[in-house]
Amino acid sequence: MARNGVKGFAARAGGWSVRHRWAAVGIWVLFVVVAMGLGSAVGRVDVSDGDGLSGETGQAARIVETADIDEPVGETVLVQGKDRQLSATAPEFKRAVEDVIKAVEGTGAVTDVRSPYASASGTVSKDGRTALVQFDMRGDPDTAADRVQPVLDAVKGVADDHDALRIEEIGGASMNKTFADAFGDDFQRAEYSAVPVALGILLIAFGALVAALLPVALAITAIMATMGLMGVVSHLQPMSETANSVMLLVGLAVGVDYCLFYLRREREERMKGHDPQTALRVAAATSGRAIIVSGVTVCVAMAGMMFTGLAEFQAMGLASLIVVAVAMVGSVTVLPALLSLLGERVEKGRIPFVGRRNKSRAQRNSLEGSRLWQRVLTVVLARPAVCVAVAVGALVAIAAPALGMKTQNLTLDQEFGDSLPIVATYDRVNEAFPGGSDPAEVVVKADDINAPAVRSAIADFRAQAVSSGASRGPVEVTVHAGQDVAFIDVPLVGGSDQDRAEKSLALLRDQVRPDTLGTVDGVEAPVTGQVAGSKDFNDQIVGSVAPVFVFVVVFAFLLMLLSFRSLTVAITSIALNLLSVGAAYGILVAVFQNGWGASLVGAEGVGAIISWLPLFLFVILFGLSMDYHVFVVSRIKEARLQGRTNTDAIRHGVVTTAGVVTSAAVIMVAVFAIFGTLSMQSFKQMGVGLAAAILIDATVIRGVLLPAVMALLGERNWYLPKWLERMPDFTHDEAGTEVPEAAPKDGPVRVSP
């Protein structure tokens, strides 16, 4: 007779929840409400510029923050003949410039308006056919984008009055407003549409409204609780809007997946004829344990982001870790309580046709497994060596383009293409004034900024910045005597050409600065700006790859070793996950960098991968792909311990989990694919990379490569060296999780004494 009791936290938690159903539900609801209340009460601290940047860029931001200087947001109006023939000295051109100055001053929203005709302004192009009117926005720099519309309207009014001229505004405020208007709602719609998409797929998968709503409800409540907890922990680790979005994606994915795993196993056990109590007990001991192993592995992967040293990444990692932990705990506590309360009512709200079809299919799959995967497994298990060679060869070929990966912070052209007029304005300014749109900025901090030695060093820096070839000028200096800080704006030769601009930046940092400002004791002079920020961020990301990789891989390996007590399973788990991540990298490079099929996803002409994405994808994919791996391998081990042969255990484990893995993968792919439709290339790359990787992982890796490798290894799958046998036993008693059934044809069912 099979033993009813099982060991393990998941089984005990599920058993307690079933016995104290209303208490479990009440505690969960109270937890969500209290977490949200605490978050609202303490408020949230977001990443500041000083926290969020690295290298010299971060050093410059901290100097500015410490000095409490609010740098005004600068705006520029480009004036240029549409045929590029009209000179800036022409009467019509001058009238247009005067009209622009009067119009922007008339709004009352700007200050320090500078005419291109002022002496030494340097804002008339070398060919004399383009001029810039420059000014600053009044008020708080953080809200300038909200107040720039009257200025934009005034400039447009002048442009309408001068048909022969191109009169266009660009700057920090106008660009932020344009991007927010164009893509803010777009991004929000993508986030909000993820939930209905997931619910629709679950309705098809379960064929019943109540069963479909449970995973979505668990994911949403986990996300709500995490939003509150993020406010609390933000006082130790600042958060960000990006962390919010990543948390929502990860929370929805794992929350739905974990609930789906549990619900499918409970349903399957009932289909076999087990009573609801036994079905819940088996689900708790098997799927519940797999959820905990998977959840802890995902948490470890997310914790890897803490090693980047970048506040934005640390915020994303911590927010994702929290939502996974909350969803994991909810799946093994409140979910069994809800299933116990609902009983057969979990099948309420049947979808016509779909519900009846799914019920008969579920009954068949609970006994036989998926017919499709039965046929696939027949081929795989008959020729495992061939299948391993073909699958690995295909994945390596897909991953091959990743060897030539080029990462960088995308320029406006790369990020937005020609979808926004302001991008064309940016290009025109850069063409006429190379580097003028995004100059390097040297933040000079001294004990006395007006000391003769400091003033002389600044003057030498201005001269050498041009004579060295790093800039064509004009090099402008703004002094804040009260704070002993000066800002030196240096347009870099190369402009929007990132590679050339970085060479100019290197000249400033490695040659010009040491020879001038570096000769004065007590002077700090970090170089910041868009180009510098991109380089510093890239350098920080590259430097953090090794520690993040080692941390995630080593801890994932140890978790697999402890959870399955098999050195072989731990090694193959890591190897298969790395293949999956490599294939995702290859697809990204092929599409977005090499342009293969780029027109299909609207990514023509990008030519690079956003610098933060490879590390982000590695961490996210390494964590999420463990969902499927742990679930499938747990089922294989369970079947093996119940007496099945190695081959039959593999077949049973894969085909009986195929339905839930497919449903979970379809949800993830659909949700991530939504982000692949966004106009911003960085989020498009993220969505395509995640969707492609999950699709490969759920099909080629789990459906072909994993069973083929395990078939080849045979009993070596469960190899554990004697010197490791003393390690803690975190496995559960798989052999005692099922009520005895007819023995499989290839061996007796082995049960625990």
Side-chain angles (χ1 to χ4, degrees):
M1 182 176 181
R3 188 175 66 189
N4 290 330
V6 292
K7 60 185 178 180
F9 171 77
R12 291 195 299 272
W16 184 91
S17 297
V18 170
R19 292 191 302 274
H20 306 86
R21 298 175 294 185
W22 286 110
V25 174
I27 290 171
W28 178 257
V29 172
L30 181 64
F31 164 68
V32 174
V33 171
V34 169
M36 293 177 66
L38 282 174
S40 177
V42 302
R44 198 178 85 171
V45 178
D46 279 347
V47 173
S48 67
D49 287 344
D51 294 327
L53 302 173
S54 60
E56 290 192 29
T57 312
Q59 182 187 356
R62 287 188 288 274
I63 290 173
V64 173
E65 285 181 3
T66 302
D68 196 23
I69 299 173
D70 283 334
E71 288 188 85
V73 176
E75 290 287 300
T76 296
V77 177
L78 174 138
V79 182
Q80 183 183 77
K82 288 182 178 178
D83 58 3
R84 303 295 296 273
Q85 298 301 313
L86 193 62
S87 170
T89 57
E92 183 180 354
F93 200 110
K94 287 188 172 183
R95 281 196 302 272
V97 169
E98 291 171 2
D99 289 348
V100 168
I101 293 173
K102 289 178 183 177
V104 297
E105 286 180 333
T107 65
V110 308
T111 183
D112 192 21
V113 181
R114 303 180 291 281
S115 169
Y117 301 120
S119 60
S121 71
T123 52
V124 175
S125 63
K126 284 190 174 181
D127 64 5
R129 292 182 171 82
T130 303
L132 304 179
V133 177
Q134 297 179 320
F135 52 89
D136 297 326
M137 293 293 299
R138 291 184 184 274
D140 185 354
D142 293 335
T143 61
D146 301 328
R147 296 177 282 103
V148 76
Q149 189 59 52
V151 184
L152 292 170
D153 292 340
V155 171
K156 185 178 184 304
V158 176
D160 292 341
D161 293 338
H162 296 271
D163 294 336
L165 292 165
R166 183 180 286 115
I167 301 174
E168 301 166 339
E169 182 175 348
I170 190 171
S174 52
M175 288 170 71
N176 285 340
K177 176 173 175 51
T178 300
F179 299 150
D181 290 347
F183 304 115
D185 293 341
D186 187 25
F187 189 74
Q188 261 192 345
R189 280 195 302 271
E191 288 183 330
Y192 293 150
S193 62
V195 172
V197 165
L199 180 59
I201 295 169
L202 286 169
L203 283 171
I204 296 172
F206 284 113
L209 181 61
V210 174
L213 283 172
L214 276 179
V216 175
L218 178 74
I220 290 176
T221 52
I223 289 168
M224 291 167 63
T226 303
M227 290 291 288
L229 294 176
M230 284 172 66
V232 177
V233 301
S234 71
H235 293 270
L236 299 174
Q237 167 61 57
M239 290 293 159
S240 69
E241 289 303 316
T242 306
N244 271 2
S245 300
V246 172
M247 182 276 294
L248 187 147
L249 274 177
V250 173
L252 185 63
V254 299
V256 169
D257 274 11
Y258 293 165
C259 195
L260 189 61
F261 294 162
Y262 208 110
L263 189 54
R264 272 292 182 90
R265 184 59 187 263
E266 187 271 346
R267 197 187 218 197
E268 179 185 320
E269 295 303 322
R270 283 192 290 109
M271 293 293 184
K272 291 179 178 178
H274 297 167
D275 61 86
Q277 188 177 10
T278 302
L280 276 172
R281 189 168 61 246
V282 174
T286 54
S287 291
R289 175 184 171 278
I291 287 168
I292 290 177
V293 174
S294 172
V296 173
T297 307
V298 176
C299 286
V300 166
M302 299 307 170
M305 290 194 192
M306 306 301 289
F307 288 84
T308 61
L310 294 166
E312 191 75 56
F313 265 67
Q314 291 171 331
M316 288 191 290
L318 188 55
S320 301
L321 187 156
I322 294 171
V323 78
V324 171
V326 171
M328 175 183 68
V329 172
S331 299
V332 297
T333 56
V334 72
L335 181 57
L338 287 171
L339 290 174
S340 179
L341 283 169
L342 288 169
E344 293 293 335
R345 287 172 292 183
V346 76
E347 306 293 346
K348 289 286 186 182
R350 287 261 174 211
I351 310 299
F353 306 111
V354 174
R356 284 195 296 273
R357 185 192 67 196
N358 281 359
K359 184 174 182 179
S360 61
R361 186 173 62 189
Q363 288 173 329
R364 185 188 71 242
N365 287 352
S366 68
L367 299 174
E368 304 173 9
S370 164
R371 287 180 178 175
L372 171 62
W373 286 106
Q374 282 277 16
R375 291 193 288 270
V376 172
L377 263 292
T378 299
V379 175
V380 170
L381 297 178
R383 296 179 177 82
V386 174
C387 290
V388 167
V390 172
V392 171
L395 291 173
V396 169
I398 294 172
L403 295 174
M405 181 184 290
K406 175 187 177 184
T407 61
Q408 66 178 59
N409 278 356
L410 301 183
T411 63
L412 284 181
D413 282 350
Q414 293 170 313
E415 184 73 88
F416 302 107
D418 56 2
S419 59
L420 296 176
I422 202 167
V423 175
T425 304
Y426 175 86
D427 289 339
R428 281 189 274 269
V429 172
N430 258 315
E431 183 183 353
F433 305 89
S437 293
D438 288 307
E441 183 178 66
V442 186
V443 180
V444 183
K445 176 73 174 89
D447 296 331
D448 180 3
I449 199 68
N450 285 318
V454 177
R455 294 171 66 91
S456 175
I458 291 175
D460 289 344
F461 180 92
R462 293 182 67 187
Q464 288 193 33
V466 176
S467 64
S468 68
S471 174
R472 296 193 182 100
V475 179
E476 299 180 350
V477 179
T478 304
V479 177
H480 296 268
Q483 292 88 358
D484 288 314
V485 172
F487 298 130
I488 309 176
D489 289 332
V490 186
L492 295 174
V493 169
S496 58
D497 184 328
Q498 190 82 10
D499 292 336
R500 289 184 62 205
E502 283 191 9
K503 290 178 181 177
S504 300
L505 175 69
L507 269 176
L508 286 184
R509 284 180 166 178
D510 302 335
Q511 178 180 315
V512 177
R513 179 180 56 187
D515 292 346
T516 55
L517 297 167
T519 62
V520 183
D521 292 337
V523 170
E524 293 180 72
V527 183
T528 184
Q530 191 274 331
V531 176
S534 174
K535 185 179 188 308
D536 291 347
F537 185 84
N538 242 343
D539 290 346
Q540 182 77 12
I541 286 289
V542 171
S544 63
V545 166
V548 171
F549 180 87
V550 171
F551 175 82
V552 172
V553 169
V554 169
F555 272 82
F557 173 83
L558 291 175
L559 282 169
M560 291 296 101
L561 185 63
L562 291 170
S563 300
F564 292 101
R565 292 185 68 81
S566 166
L567 185 62
T568 308
V569 167
I571 293 172
T572 54
S573 299
I574 300 302
L576 294 180
N577 272 14
L578 291 177
L579 269 176
S580 179
V581 172
Y585 285 172
I587 290 172
L588 278 175
V589 172
V591 175
F592 293 95
Q593 185 174 315
N594 299 340
W596 304 346
S599 60
L600 299 176
V601 293
E604 300 94 333
V606 178
I609 307 301
I610 186 73
S611 57
W612 55 264
L613 190 59
L615 190 62
F616 173 82
L617 276 184
F618 169 75
V619 172
I620 296 290
L621 291 177
F622 210 91
L624 294 184
S625 61
M626 279 297 182
D627 278 0
Y628 310 138
H629 189 81
V630 169
F631 194 63
V632 176
V633 174
S634 293
R635 199 63 183 270
I636 293 172
K637 185 178 182 184
E638 179 185 332
R640 187 73 191 95
L641 289 178
Q642 289 166 359
R644 295 176 185 266
T645 64
N646 184 64
T647 299
D648 194 55
I650 294 170
R651 184 189 304 276
H652 176 81
V654 173
V655 298
T656 54
T657 57
V660 66
V661 168
T662 300
S663 299
V666 168
I667 290 170
M668 278 200 191
V669 170
V671 169
F672 293 143
I674 291 172
F675 286 81
T677 65
L678 298 183
S679 301
M680 291 178 65
Q681 291 297 328
S682 53
F683 287 108
K684 189 186 291 290
Q685 290 182 7
M686 182 187 76
V688 171
L690 286 170
I694 295 298
L695 184 62
I696 290 172
D697 193 77
T699 53
V700 179
I701 299 288
R702 308 304 159 204
V704 177
L705 197 50
L706 173 64
V709 168
M710 294 189 79
L712 283 176
L713 291 171
E715 288 306 311
R716 286 169 294 183
N717 283 310
W718 316 112
Y719 169 71
L720 184 70
K722 288 184 178 181
W723 57 275
L724 286 175
E725 289 179 357
R726 293 182 180 179
M727 69 181 182
D729 186 355
F730 291 160
T731 62
H732 72 277
D733 187 7
E734 288 92 340
T737 58
E738 296 208 38
V739 174
E741 300 179 70
K745 60 185 180 182
D746 53 359
V749 176
R750 180 167 66 86
V751 296
S752 298

